[in-house]
Amino acid sequence: MLSLYALLLVAAAPEEAMIVENSRLRAEQVRVQTGSYAKAGLPPNPDFGQFARWRGPVCISVRGIPDAALADRVKARIAAAAGDAALPADKPGCKPNLTVAFTDDARRLVGMVKARKRSALPPFEPRLFAALDSATLPVRWWHVLGPAGSGGGSSAPDAGALASATTNGVPLGNVLPAGPNAVGTNSFSASLIDTNLSVWARAGVAVVDVNLATGVSLDALADYIALVMIAPMRLPAGDPGVPSVLTLFQPGSTVTGLTSWDRAFIKGLYRIQMNRSAQRQRQQLLSAMTRELVTGAPPEPR
């Protein structure tokens, strides 16, 4: 009996090794694909040198849809994506911080916001503002971001924040890029990889041009909005090269809602450490996505 048991173990070993090897190869392939996805969704030069996400409850408001049931349907899809990110739901009657506006002229509506309430928009960035003024984008969006200490403490713009930016001319890992977004915080850490800073979405607005969005399902459109707003994503988002609701407006697209890749991106973004540089955050995101998509993938770096 014992020899038979040993024989079974020996016979199973090559098959198990093959499974492990196939899993490793698939993980490597998926890891490359997550890089393409991240490039499509993440801003190339993030504010404050770090990627952002929502911190607390998201209060969703949907405007411009006369049918309350349809508006609630859009709201529910966005709330579901917020649930994937483990964001708590806000209480009824809350003050909206994520607004979705449906209009027949998105370009004109954004222009009115610029003219009447410039403070509702983020700081000027050529690529973003060119996209907001696009004549062809079915959906355009923006987020208002704000820095905080790594432990949630306050932070503020500080022209002298980079006074200790280098040691013997070598940039430290916990110093953020120079420029108007240089900040100083009331946090301190001896770690060379802790930035002493975290960046959070304080508000977000998505504007849907109903004329340009004609032909797609409301559920798929709501999921598209949910992804770019909860993530938060760059505008315009690129082609991720994998099944994704980001391809919703591409000719011949058959996507019907969030895919496993989209959900992996959301979940991965909400697992990264916030007090890290964008480079480290990106590596953590790719690892988290790979683990979500492939069983047995290696853990993300810290």
Side-chain angles (χ1 to χ4, degrees):
M1 180 66 72
L2 182 61
S3 60
L4 177 60
Y5 179 68
L7 182 61
L8 289 174
L9 286 179
V10 171
E15 182 178 354
E16 292 174 356
M18 186 179 298
I19 292 173
V20 171
E21 179 65 13
N22 289 341
S23 177
R24 183 184 66 81
L25 292 175
R26 182 165 183 266
E28 292 176 356
Q29 180 183 18
V30 169
R31 173 78 180 211
V32 172
Q33 292 173 307
T34 61
S36 298
Y37 192 113
K39 183 178 180 180
L42 294 175
N45 299 298
D47 287 350
F48 309 103
Q50 295 176 221
F51 299 119
R53 69 184 185 215
W54 295 86
R55 185 177 191 177
V58 175
C59 184
I60 306 164
S61 173
V62 177
R63 303 177 183 180
I65 299 183
D67 189 323
L70 292 180
D72 286 343
R73 188 167 165 178
V74 172
K75 185 176 179 180
R77 304 284 291 203
I78 300 173
D84 285 341
L87 286 171
D90 215 335
K91 300 176 181 178
C94 58
K95 182 179 180 180
N97 57 6
L98 194 165
T99 301
V100 182
F102 286 76
T103 176
D104 59 2
D105 192 339
R107 190 180 186 187
R108 179 173 178 272
L109 179 58
V110 173
M112 291 173 59
V113 173
K114 290 181 184 177
R116 300 180 184 180
K117 197 173 182 181
R118 176 62 183 80
S119 61
L121 293 167
F124 177 76
E125 194 279 312
R127 174 179 174 147
L128 171 64
F129 275 66
L132 288 175
D133 193 45
S134 169
T136 60
L137 281 180
V139 184
R140 59 207 70 198
W141 62 88
W142 68 88
H143 295 82
V144 177
L145 308 178
S150 58
S154 62
S155 61
D158 180 2
L162 301 183
S164 59
T166 61
T167 298
N168 296 325
V170 180
L172 297 178
N174 64 336
V175 177
L176 297 177
N181 285 338
V183 296
T185 76
N186 60 2
S187 300
F188 173 79
S189 172
S191 170
L192 293 182
I193 61 173
D194 186 344
T195 61
N196 296 317
L197 187 76
S198 52
V199 184
W200 305 95
R202 295 177 174 174
V205 177
V207 181
V208 181
D209 192 306
V210 295
N211 294 318
L212 297 176
T214 298
V216 301
S217 76
L218 183 64
D219 286 346
L221 177 59
D223 278 4
Y224 179 98
I225 296 167
L227 175 61
V228 301
M229 295 308 294
I230 296 298
M233 284 196 167
R234 63 189 291 181
L235 175 70
D239 184 348
V242 294
S244 169
V245 76
L246 291 178
T247 65
L248 178 64
F249 298 105
Q250 292 183 5
S253 175
T254 59
V255 68
T256 58
L258 291 176
T259 69
S260 59
W261 287 89
D262 299 326
R263 296 186 188 281
F265 183 85
I266 293 173
K267 293 178 180 179
L269 183 67
Y270 280 79
R271 288 175 184 164
I272 65 174
Q273 292 173 291
M274 297 304 289
N275 57 335
R276 295 292 185 269
S277 68
Q279 182 179 7
R280 287 184 177 274
Q281 288 179 323
R282 184 179 184 276
Q283 293 305 312
Q284 290 181 2
L285 171 61
L286 301 191
S287 294
M289 288 182 68
T290 302
R291 286 184 61 80
E292 183 70 24
L293 293 162
V294 182
T295 303
E300 59 263 30
R302 307 307 289 174

